[in-house]
Amino acid sequence: MPAETAAALPRPPARTATAPVLTGAQAVVRSLELLGVTDVFGLPGGAILPVYDPLMDSSELRHILVRHEQGAGHAAEGYAAASNKVGVAIATSGPGATNLVTAIADAYMDSVPIVCITGQVFSNLMGTDAFQEADIVGITMPITKHSFLVKDPSDIPGAIAAAFEIAGTGRPGPVLVDITKDAQQAEAPFVWPPKIDLPGYRPVTKAHGKQIQAAAQLIAEAKKPVLYVGGGVIRAKASEELLTLAESTGAPVVTTLMARGAFPDSHQQHLGMPGMHGTVPAVLALQEADLLVSLGARFDDRVTGKAALFAPHAKVVHVDIDPAEISKIRTADVPIVGDLKEVLVDLDVAFRQTAAAAEAKPDIAEWWSFLDGLRDEFPLGYTQPSDGLMSPQYVIQRIGALTGPEGIYAAGVGQHQMWAAQFIKYERPNAWLNSGGAGTMGYSVPAAMGAKVAEPDRHVWAIDGDGCFQMTNQELATCAINNIPIKVAIINNSSLGMVRQWQTLFYDGRYSHTSLNTGHGTVRIPDFVKLAEAYGCLAIRVEKEEDVDAAIQTALETNDRPVVIDFVVSADAMVWPMVPQGVSNSYVQYARDHAPAFEQED
């Protein structure tokens, strides 16, 4: 994330000679107001109750009462991912705090800037196994950028301001502020702006010039370069700079699951998504490249397959704001630590100068001829189901086509997530929200809710599976009561679809505990239409392809309440292509030549 993020926060008033005396709880609310926060997601309980009293009086903060703390965390994530702001979640101690852990871990894996404020038992009771006590700082230490424990009310403004600074700068991520109940109740002078002292926290934003020049030289010399784009480009708000560099170099671009929308799908240089369920051109481009320019990507196992066999002929330029990521999995020939928004500008200038000195741009025509041949031979497609039920890929494709690139699409995890990444066309960053690193089922509905709060003028879809939906659908009540009219598409194949796919391919069709009984047959448990109606939503069931467009259009035209569409689809549909876990990505080449099941149809 750019260094200017923190600087862009509203400037607080200068210190006055006489600081007002506030309770710690009042200091929490006032700090959030002065940091420019407008929306928070939370659920009260005993240890955070003091904060909820002044929160009720705030005219600047909109508090959205969730039905489960995990929903608050994912909503804060969706809010942050859709808007590039820091999301905020509030919970009480003990189980309230631990219910946030999944969302915190999710945000940590996907570099999402959120601040979680939790109540803690009285400081003199800590360590006694008091009612609803949990060491949430210790629990979250491995999955946060930093965790604060505050026992003194005078430390509250500094802790919250520091939390926002840490969450929103450098590599973004979650920060926890745990505040004891006595610190919330006690009084102290409220000093703003507080002094923020973060020893050792100095994110590097400007890359070393020699490294930039070395990278430019490698690009100029490469015959088979690929720009391997990760989610860091989106977090850095560097999509425009990426487009400029891509067009300067003429190199093909692949965008990972977390980077969908960082580069326009419609652009001729875009090969699609790489990895386990990536396009054939994207996967083989990485595998055959002689140079990978990794931009905000971390060589995740879902992209590399067996890492030792990944891109065996390629040199690597690795750009990341987090030095811990560079050479963690694949040794970088040119390591570059810096903010991508700045690095991409510098790299483009250096490449242009290098090309000008050589009086010619690199000749990669033969490389493009090979890649275009792959695009012609292996267009992305799917096979129509043979059981008479709808194709889930068709449903998702129509959602994207009718909603358009200005919509926001938050997916759950599983087959529907991959189809949403594959078959919706993304033309802009922040349009695609998903749980990439943690793979959290239940992410979609609350994340869509948070995105809709952040971007109320956009259509926001939660594309969910019937398994994921049952984990967090209670947030539909939150949406209905708070006038957050998201659209929910349940891709209902009556099973845990991705697990079932693995059982089909690797466990001889032994479907152990993957049937959900939600969509097929006369008995539906639950009946999603009745459930959605009970939550105050407009509910529609679609079982025929000829009814798909009308249902989507109705959802797009309904903005006075949430809409839930139960799309009953085939359980036999598979996500293709697929590189099995733990093998080389060259398996794609083998599979296309030897495995009929790998074939795709338009």
Side-chain angles (χ1 to χ4, degrees), residues 85-100:
K85 299 177 183 178
V86 176
V88 180
I90 302 177
T92 191
S93 64
T98 59
N99 280 344
L100 283 174

Side-chain angles (χ1 to χ4, degrees), residues 493-575:
N493 60 7
S494 198
S495 68
L496 298 172
M498 187 62 86
V499 182
R500 188 180 192 274
Q501 176 166 331
W502 281 53
Q503 288 172 336
T504 300
L505 296 175
F506 308 122
Y507 293 89
D508 299 321
R510 290 166 55 84
Y511 300 120
S512 175
H513 301 287
T514 46
S515 178
L516 294 176
N517 300 304
T518 54
H520 303 161
T522 57
V523 179
R524 294 180 167 96
I525 302 175
D527 184 319
F528 290 137
V529 169
K530 292 178 180 177
L531 180 67
E533 288 174 345
Y535 277 129
C537 305
L538 173 62
I540 305 168
R541 177 171 291 119
V542 178
E543 299 181 273
K544 298 179 180 178
E545 285 195 357
E546 56 263 34
D547 298 328
V548 168
D549 281 18
I552 296 169
Q553 201 60 52
T554 297
L556 293 173
E557 293 168 358
T558 302
N559 293 298
D560 61 344
R561 52 184 163 156
V563 180
V564 176
I565 309 177
D566 180 15
F567 289 105
V568 181
V569 301
S570 173
D572 295 330
M574 304 276 261
V575 181

Side-chain angles (χ1 to χ4, degrees), residues 194-230:
K195 181 181 178 182
I196 300 176
D197 186 19
L198 301 172
Y201 184 70
R202 299 289 183 271
V204 175
T205 58
K206 189 71 173 176
H208 196 288
K210 288 186 177 179
Q211 299 301 93
I212 293 288
Q213 187 57 49
Q217 189 66 41
L218 283 182
I219 297 172
E221 294 170 355
K223 300 298 183 183
K224 300 178 180 180
V226 177
L227 302 185
Y228 163 32
V229 176

Side-chain angles (χ1 to χ4, degrees), residues 235-304:
R235 299 290 182 251
K237 297 183 283 189
S239 293
E240 290 185 11
E241 291 78 8
L242 169 64
L243 179 63
T244 299
L245 177 66
E247 292 183 340
S248 293
T249 62
V253 178
V254 302
T255 53
T256 68
L257 180 68
M258 291 305 302
R260 302 292 289 114
F263 192 78
D265 278 357
S266 60
H267 199 285
Q268 183 62 23
Q269 287 172 240
H270 191 223
L271 298 180
M273 182 175 73
M276 178 177 281
H277 298 296
T279 66
V280 174
V283 171
L284 290 184
L286 291 175
Q287 205 62 9
E288 299 296 325
D290 63 4
L291 176 67
L292 300 186
V293 182
S294 175
L295 304 171
R298 56 188 180 85
F299 292 84
D300 178 73
D301 65 287
R302 286 303 194 261
V303 170
T304 65

Side-chain angles (χ1 to χ4, degrees), residues 345-408:
V345 171
D346 293 345
L347 188 54
D348 181 64
V349 171
F351 172 78
R352 288 172 182 267
Q353 291 173 345
T354 301
E359 298 184 349
K361 288 184 67 173
D363 182 5
I364 55 175
E366 188 175 339
W367 179 225
W368 268 115
S369 178
F370 169 72
L371 297 174
D372 286 339
L374 290 177
R375 284 203 281 208
D376 291 340
E377 188 178 359
F378 299 103
L380 188 64
Y382 55 90
T383 304
Q384 287 292 340
S386 59
D387 56 9
L389 293 172
M390 290 193 301
S391 161
Q393 298 97 324
Y394 174 80
V395 170
I396 292 170
Q397 197 170 47
R398 296 308 298 159
I399 290 171
L402 292 175
T403 306
E406 294 304 314
I408 295 174

Side-chain angles (χ1 to χ4, degrees), residues 399-419:
I399 290 171
L402 292 175
T403 306
E406 294 304 314
I408 295 174
Y409 307 88
V413 169
Q415 287 180 314
H416 62 280
Q417 174 191 27
M418 295 300 112
W419 290 322

